[in-house]
């Protein structure tokens, strides 16, 4: 890659923009402000490209088609929480955190600062593989953030006030900015997709006999009358022949699921990433959007194959319709005290995601003025689609009985901004990539009528596109 020499003008960052940044870095911050965030124009590039260039520590990517896209790396500041009251803690600490950020933009009004991150399926993640670096729920103000929305894109630099103490440190920040923006302009997109060939990799699946024993235990719990549905999860582990670059793996997963929400959360030695079809919620002002996604059938992902009979069977399946209705009921009952109105269809539609067709009911509403992102997180997570019904009781049963540590699988990932808006997705169709292994997760909703062998096949179908993204032949 050939870059302009220092001193030459950069197309993506003008001399005027650099002078603006230099002036903001040198200006004293008010005593109440702990962070400086400066937003500069950026080229309309893919967020994955930005992720390749920024510091790995707490890297983040979020790409939802037709909506805001984010990428970031490095840590300017962060909020970490643990415990059963984790969302209540966030409701107290995040607004306070945002109040200490001074924001400026070279063009127009500065965008509201954004915290990015996620939360585990349940509080109290133990330090076991592959979750050693994900034991706390964490939301980060990235040192370097890229935002793309509509027809514009921007880069935001956020630094703690301690970094502004000397001219030498401020000059280092300017040089860092110039190097990053030049690299972002000249980095070639073709380097994003890496050839991955693991056809002979070692893949460890949960034996079907152990799965059957677990489903028998779930059926016994449902027969007790305490539960109507419990979601069972399993994972497979791929021993890698060599260390893989996570952005190459991302590109292949994202290509496999183009209509899903794409996410990645980096730690020092591992990356949690996926392409999820399930939105937990989207809040913009008082507007709310969410959906129920439950009830699944497997079809061929060859577009030449007629799957109409399979889809019709799903739409008439009393088992799947009942499972779906539990999710709709629970979401609406939890949202009722937080909204002034809710709207949804009386019967579900279908949504195809590769080789699977799901029953889906979009739900929209008007929030009460006092309802916050944190209220929505506390009310909706975990949904019955990943936990069961009753939701909280089923989640507790899973934590006590499932022979798997879910960690952030079936948790939630997303973003919150200082204006009170946010968007979160349910972390499914996902995995963890470490230096030597890949861990792929999938789950299936179990009701009294569920068949262990069919649900084992369904979870395998959900893992399939992610395994193929790794190049695993099965």
């Amino acid at each position: 890659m050939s870059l302009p020499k220092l001193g030459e003008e950069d197309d993506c960052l003008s001399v005027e923009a650099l002078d603006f940044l230099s002036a903001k870095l040198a200006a004293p911050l008010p005593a109440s402000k702990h962070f400086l965030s400066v937003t500069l124009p950026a080229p309309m590039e893919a967020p994955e490209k930005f992720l390749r260039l920024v510091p790995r520590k707490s890297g983040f990517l979020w790409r939802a088609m037709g909506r805001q896209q984010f990428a970031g790396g490095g840590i300017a500041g962060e909020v970490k929480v643990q415990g059963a009251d984790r969302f209540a803690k966030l409701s107290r600490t995040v607004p306070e955190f945002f109040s200490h950020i001074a924001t400026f933009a070279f063009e127009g009004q500065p965008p509201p600062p954004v915290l990015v991150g996620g939360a585990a399926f349940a509080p109290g993640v133990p330090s076991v593989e592959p979750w050693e670096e994900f034991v706390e729920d964490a939301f980060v103000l990235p040192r370097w953030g890229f935002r793309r929305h509509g027809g514009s894109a921007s880069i935001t630099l956020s630094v703690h006030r301690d970094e502004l103490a000397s001219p030498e440190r401020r000059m280092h920040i300017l040089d860092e900015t110039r190097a990053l923006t030049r690299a972002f302009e000249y980095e070639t997109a073709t380097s994003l997709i890496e050839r991955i060939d693991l056809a002979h990799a070692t893949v460890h699946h949960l034996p079907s006999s152990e799965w059957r024993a677990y489903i028998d235990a779930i059926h016994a719990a449902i027969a007790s009358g305490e539960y109507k549905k419990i979601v069972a999860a399993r994972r497979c582990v791929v021993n890698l022949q060599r260390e893989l670059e996570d952005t190459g793996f991302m590109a292949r997963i994202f290509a496999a699921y183009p209509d899903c929400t794409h996410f990645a959360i980096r730690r020092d030695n591992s990356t949690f990433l996926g392409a999820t079809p399930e939105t937990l919620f989207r809040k913009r002002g008082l507007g709310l959007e969410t959906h129920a996604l439950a009830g699944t059938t497997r079809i061929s992902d060859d577009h030449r194959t007629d799957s109409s009979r399979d889809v019709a069977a799903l739409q008439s399946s009393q088992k799947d319709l009942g499972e779906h209705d539990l999710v709709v009921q629970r979401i609406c009952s939890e949202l009722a005290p937080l909204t002034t109105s809710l709207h949804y269809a009386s019967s579900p539609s279908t949504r195809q995601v590769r080789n699977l067709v799901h029953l889906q009911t979009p739900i929209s509403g008007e929030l009460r003025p006092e309802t916050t992102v944190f209220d929505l997180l506390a009310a909706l997570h975990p949904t019955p689609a990943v936990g069961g019904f009753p939701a909280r009781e089923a989640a507790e049963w899973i934590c006590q009985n499932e022979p798997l540590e879910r960690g952030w699988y079936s948790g939630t990932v997303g973003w919150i901004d200082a204006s009170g808006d946010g968007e979160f997705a349910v972390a499914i169709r996902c995995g963890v990539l470490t230096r030597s292994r890949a861990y792929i997760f999938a789950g299936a909703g179990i009701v009294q009528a569920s068949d262990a062998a069919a649900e084992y096949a369904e979870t395998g179908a959900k893992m399939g596109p992610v395994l193929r993204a790794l190049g695993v032949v099965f």
Side-chain angles (χ1 to χ4, degrees):
M1 179 170 62
S2 177
L3 301 180
K5 297 177 181 179
L6 286 173
E8 295 180 2
E9 184 170 331
D10 302 311
D11 293 336
C12 63
L13 197 61
S14 66
V15 171
E16 292 79 10
L18 281 169
D19 287 345
F20 177 83
L21 174 60
S22 179
K24 296 306 177 186
L25 293 173
L29 283 178
S32 64
K33 302 299 182 182
H34 302 166
F35 301 94
L36 170 69
S37 286
V38 181
T39 298
L40 305 168
M44 289 285 288
E45 297 285 358
E48 301 97 305
K49 183 175 175 181
F50 190 77
L51 195 65
R52 288 177 62 93
L53 302 172
V54 293
R56 176 179 177 86
K57 192 172 184 62
S58 289
F60 181 88
L61 181 140
W62 174 273
R63 186 170 69 178
M65 294 303 174
R67 302 191 298 278
Q68 291 199 71
Q69 302 178 27
F70 297 100
I75 301 175
E78 63 184 330
V79 176
K80 292 183 176 182
V81 293
Q82 287 182 312
D85 60 343
R86 51 190 175 154
F87 299 131
K89 289 175 181 175
L90 286 173
S91 72
R92 296 190 296 269
T93 55
V94 169
E96 173 73 10
F97 184 94
F98 279 137
S99 72
H100 296 302
I101 304 174
T103 60
F104 300 93
F106 178 66
E107 296 176 344
Q109 292 295 314
V114 173
L115 292 181
V116 296
F121 171 72
V125 178
S127 182
V128 297
E129 63 166 338
W131 304 112
E132 296 94 336
E133 298 182 295
F134 292 87
V135 296
E136 296 175 295
D137 298 349
F139 291 87
V140 170
L141 175 67
R143 178 181 180 85
W144 294 105
F146 172 73
R147 182 184 327 219
R148 176 175 168 173
H149 184 54
S152 64
S154 61
I155 290 175
T156 298
L157 165 68
S158 298
V159 294
H160 192 273
R161 65 182 305 135
D162 291 347
E163 287 197 65
L164 309 175
S166 69
E168 293 77 15
R169 297 182 76 173
R170 296 195 295 271
M171 182 57 66
H172 175 77
I173 293 171
L174 281 173
D175 290 342
E176 189 182 358
T177 304
R178 298 190 64 188
L180 175 63
T181 54
R182 280 199 307 276
F184 193 33
E185 180 182 5
Y186 287 93
E187 174 82 3
T188 58
T190 54
S191 63
L192 288 176
I193 298 180
E194 177 187 9
R195 170 78 177 156
I196 301 175
D197 185 4
L198 299 177
H200 303 292
T202 304
V203 182
H204 299 280
H205 280 280
L206 179 74
S208 59
S209 59
E210 294 183 24
W211 174 261
R212 191 179 308 112
Y214 181 42
I215 302 307
D216 287 344
I218 292 177
H219 277 147
I222 293 172
S224 72
E226 295 183 51
Y227 313 94
K228 293 184 178 180
K229 171 186 173 182
I230 294 174
V231 177
R234 67 181 179 97
R235 76 181 190 193
C236 72
V237 182
V238 182
N239 291 325
L240 305 176
Q241 297 172 326
R242 60 185 177 86
E243 184 175 344
L244 300 180
E245 185 179 0
D246 59 2
T247 50
F249 188 23
M250 285 177 213
R252 293 170 70 114
I253 293 178
F254 298 167
Y257 292 105
D259 298 324
C260 292
T261 297
H262 305 153
F263 67 88
I265 299 176
R266 280 175 165 173
R267 297 291 184 259
D268 290 341
N269 299 296
S270 56
T271 303
F272 178 49
L273 70 163
T276 174
E278 188 168 356
T279 299
L280 185 65
F281 67 84
R282 189 177 307 123
K283 178 184 181 297
R284 187 171 181 84
L286 296 181
L288 171 70
E289 295 178 21
T290 183
H291 63 188
L293 192 75
T296 302
T297 192
R298 182 180 183 179
I299 62 170
S300 171
D301 57 4
D302 184 343
H303 69 277
R304 296 168 296 182
T305 301
D306 182 5
S307 301
S308 58
R309 288 186 179 181
D310 297 316
V311 174
L314 175 66
Q315 291 174 310
S316 61
S317 166
Q318 293 306 304
K319 177 259 183 187
D320 289 293
L321 289 169
E323 179 187 343
H324 185 84
D325 188 55
L326 289 176
V327 178
V328 175
Q329 287 180 37
R330 194 263 175 166
I331 290 175
C332 292
S333 67
E334 292 289 345
L335 288 176
L338 303 176
T339 57
T340 57
S341 64
L342 282 174
H343 312 282
Y344 59 95
S346 58
S347 58
S349 57
T350 58
R351 177 181 178 188
Q352 182 177 348
V353 182
R354 286 291 298 241
N355 58 331
L356 299 168
V357 176
H358 305 284
L359 295 177
Q360 174 178 262
T361 297
I363 302 168
S364 61
E366 187 84 1
L367 295 168
R368 295 185 183 278
E370 65 272 19
T371 299
T372 68
V373 165
F374 315 104
D375 297 325
L376 295 170
L377 283 169
L380 296 177
H381 177 70
T383 74
V386 296
F389 192 86
R392 290 176 178 82
E393 291 81 353
E396 290 175 5
W397 190 95
I398 289 167
C399 292
Q400 294 170 7
N401 295 279
E402 192 162 67
L404 166 73
E405 176 50 56
R406 290 195 181 191
W408 283 36
Y409 163 68
S410 65
T412 184
V413 295
W415 58 270
I416 311 163
D417 73 19
S419 68
D421 291 341
E423 184 172 358
F424 282 81
V426 181
I428 57 175
R429 306 294 193 279
C430 61
V432 177
L433 182 66
T434 70
R435 296 184 186 277
S436 60
R437 290 178 176 173
Y439 302 78
I440 313 302
F441 297 84
I446 308 301
V447 295
Q448 195 62 58
S450 296
D451 174 73
E455 304 299 349
Y456 191 82
E458 179 182 313
T459 53
K462 290 174 178 176
M463 292 177 181
V466 183
L467 286 170
R468 281 192 286 272
L470 272 172
V472 175
V473 175
F474 58 95

